[in-house]
Amino acid sequence: MSRLDRARCAALDAEDPLAALREEFTLPEGVVYLDGNSLGALPKATPDRIAELIEREWGEDLVTSWNKHGWIDMPRRVGDKIARLIGAGPGEVVVADSTSVNLFKVLAAALSLNPGRKVILSERENFPTDLYMAQGLIGLLGERHGLRLVEGEAIAGAIDRETAVVMLTHVNYRSGAMHDLAAVTAAAQAQGALMLWDLAHSAGAVPVDLGAAGADFAVGCGYKFLNGGPGAPAFVWVAPRHQERFQQPLSGWLGHAEPFAFAPSYRPAPGIGRYVCGTPPVLSLAALEAGVDRLLGVAPAALREKSLRLGETFIAAVEQEAAGLGLSLLSPRAGERRGSQASFRHAEGWPVMQALIARGVIGDFRAPDILRFGFAPLYTRFVDAWDAAAALAEILKTGAWDRPEFHRRLPVT
Ligand SMILES: *Cc1c(COP(=O)(O)O)cnc(C)c1O
């Protein structure tokens, strides 16, 4: 790439076919927001929708809203919308609980459906909650299973006839490295293993086709690229061929075939409905629906194209402006192996990120030394990529990061 500057990035924005979508989000003036992979931005439609739900539905129609305003259908209705983003069909996805909890449900299903095998295979660098949930489930099942962890590149070669399930996050939260979803699924199934994908950093950012890949299970997050708001509920997908073969263990009343029969014994709902546990978080579901609606009209290929170009522009700008200042690229350079983020390592990563945030450039830090920048293609501009790279270079050149307040650790990184 020839020399970049801010004017060239502004020209990329002027040509960007998705540029107008930024208008659908509230973003504070003067802030460069590159953390939509941790908490997506606020859609302008969300506050009105939440206010209407609170004032008119809850305030006036009270409990009758479960029927009158379809609250009871929300886990499936929003699930059907998310299904369109991940290559799943209608009636195959529900929104419920958190990603961690949904992972527990489908992992339990996978182990039960592959009873002769005792190994859960995953990646050492997987997001820790996924590994922790597997460890908890193994304990509950009497320590008869093992969690085997290998490096990301070694996954396909590590699948064998003992592997019950391969449990992977499609896009790695630290490095942004992306697995080949179809190829790994095929490798798992060729050995008789089941394939479980965590799409936390994929849904809403990179094209996913679970159906074409023939995967078995998937979970994903509502508050990252789906823009569902802090603590938004998560989604869970089970291939239709498995849905009725297993009754997930969190057998709450709203996953019952007839919750309002109030029978003393559990009988699972047909299909994906059994993956709901308790009462849906209606306010949060409404916010998630408003976020997902922003994505439905956008061609996944156009989103991907923009996200890749944003990442590429940022990497090139950082390497041009901050050469020799102690940064090294952690993310794969090749676009086809990278999700919608770019990460760099720096020995002083924590104070450097705090100094960036103090200037209004919001990315985040992941231990031990990673500066992470997410590129949500719905609302991030090419000038944002430029401004973030320029600010990073200046902070490193001037040593502006080395102030006591930037060294102080905060509870959430
Ligand atoms: C963000 C994320 C989660 C979040 O799980 P919660 O239960 O919502 O806290 C899980 N897995 C991965 C891979 C994530 O990136």
Side-chain angles (χ1 to χ4, degrees):
M1 203 184 274
S2 63
R3 207 174 157 75
L4 271 172
D5 58 22
R6 196 170 196 281
R8 260 194 69 191
C9 291
L12 291 173
D13 285 320
E15 292 163 8
D16 170 17
L18 304 184
L21 293 168
R22 181 177 170 87
E23 287 310 308
E24 297 187 21
F25 292 85
T26 298
L27 287 156
E29 206 53 52
V31 165
V32 172
Y33 192 59
L34 301 183
D35 213 3
N37 51 325
S38 189
L39 177 66
L42 171 65
K44 284 185 181 156
T46 303
D48 285 349
R49 174 66 190 116
I50 297 296
E52 177 198 9
L53 197 153
I54 290 178
E55 288 160 17
R56 201 164 58 76
E57 299 182 14
W58 181 13
E60 292 174 18
D61 295 324
L62 291 157
V63 75
T64 67
S65 294
W66 285 105
N67 292 315
K68 188 169 175 188
H69 298 295
W71 289 357
I72 198 68
D73 305 322
M74 286 177 87
R76 284 169 170 277
R77 183 171 83 225
V78 183
D80 280 349
K81 290 182 175 183
I82 293 172
R84 292 161 57 188
L85 305 175
I86 58 174
E92 296 180 9
V93 174
V94 283
V95 175
D97 305 313
S98 69
T99 306
S100 305
V101 173
N102 287 332
L103 190 88
F104 183 88
K105 298 170 192 167
V106 289
L107 198 53
L111 295 180
S112 156
L113 295 180
N114 220 346
R117 298 181 177 208
K118 299 294 177 230
V119 174
I120 301 169
L121 178 66
S122 193
E123 184 179 347
R124 198 177 313 277
E125 293 279 303
N126 199 347
F127 190 81
T129 200
D130 297 39
L131 306 180
Y132 302 161
M133 294 309 290
Q135 291 159 14
L137 178 63
I138 288 170
L140 191 67
L141 296 177
E143 304 289 347
R144 284 178 290 115
H145 298 82
L147 174 61
R148 184 165 169 229
L149 300 178
V150 299
E151 301 309 314
E153 320 81 73
I155 281 284
I159 305 167
D160 61 22
R161 309 303 290 181
E162 310 217 299
T163 312
V165 54
V166 180
M167 174 185 83
L168 284 182
T169 300
H170 182 215
V171 175
N172 185 273
Y173 75 109
R174 274 207 274 230
S175 67
M178 184 166 71
H179 286 289
D180 182 332
L181 190 141
V184 180
T185 300
Q189 292 174 347
Q191 295 290 338
L194 293 160
M195 187 70 227
L196 194 180
W197 289 105
D198 185 332
L199 303 176
H201 289 274
S202 311
V206 301
V208 173
D209 199 337
L210 292 168
D216 298 290
F217 304 96
V219 297
C221 184
Y223 50 79
K224 292 171 180 160
F225 292 105
L226 298 183
N227 305 313
F235 63 87
V236 52
W237 172 80
V238 176
R241 63 185 178 278
H242 298 315
Q243 286 173 1
E244 311 239 327
R245 295 175 61 206
F246 178 69
Q247 169 185 323
Q248 62 95 3
L250 303 181
S251 43
W253 72 306
L254 286 181
H256 191 283
E258 284 185 285
F260 291 90
F262 295 104
S265 310
Y266 184 73
R267 190 158 51 82
I272 194 69
R274 66 185 58 191
Y275 282 83
V276 174
C277 179
T279 305
V282 172
L283 295 176
S284 297
L285 266 159
L288 176 57
E289 185 166 28
V292 172
D293 282 344
R294 305 275 82 65
L295 281 156
L296 291 181
V298 187
L303 270 185
R304 175 66 171 155
E305 158 93 17
K306 180 173 175 189
S307 134
L308 279 179
R309 292 192 75 194
L310 282 165
E312 197 176 283
T313 303
F314 178 72
I315 292 168
V318 169
E319 292 184 339
Q320 174 187 299
E321 297 296 303
L325 296 173
L327 291 167
S328 61
L329 180 66
L330 172 64
S331 298
R333 200 173 285 279
E336 71 273 12
R337 296 197 45 238
R338 196 172 69 237
S340 206
Q341 71 180 67
S343 303
F344 284 88
R345 306 192 105 117
H346 189 281
E348 300 292 344
W350 171 261
V352 169
M353 182 52 76
Q354 294 310 300
L356 272 172
I357 293 171
R359 284 184 169 226
V361 176
I362 304 181
D364 62 22
F365 169 80
R366 286 291 173 267
D369 59 357
I370 297 164
L371 297 158
R372 193 172 74 146
F373 302 90
F375 295 93
L378 282 183
Y379 52 79
T380 308
R381 298 169 299 195
F382 290 90
V383 289
D384 294 327
W386 173 264
D387 290 344
L392 177 58
E394 200 191 300
I395 283 167
L396 291 172
K397 271 182 208 149
T398 60
W401 55 269
D402 197 9
R403 296 183 21 188
E405 67 267 33
F406 297 147
H407 286 274
R408 209 177 50 236
R409 294 282 169 145
L410 297 170
V412 175
T413 65

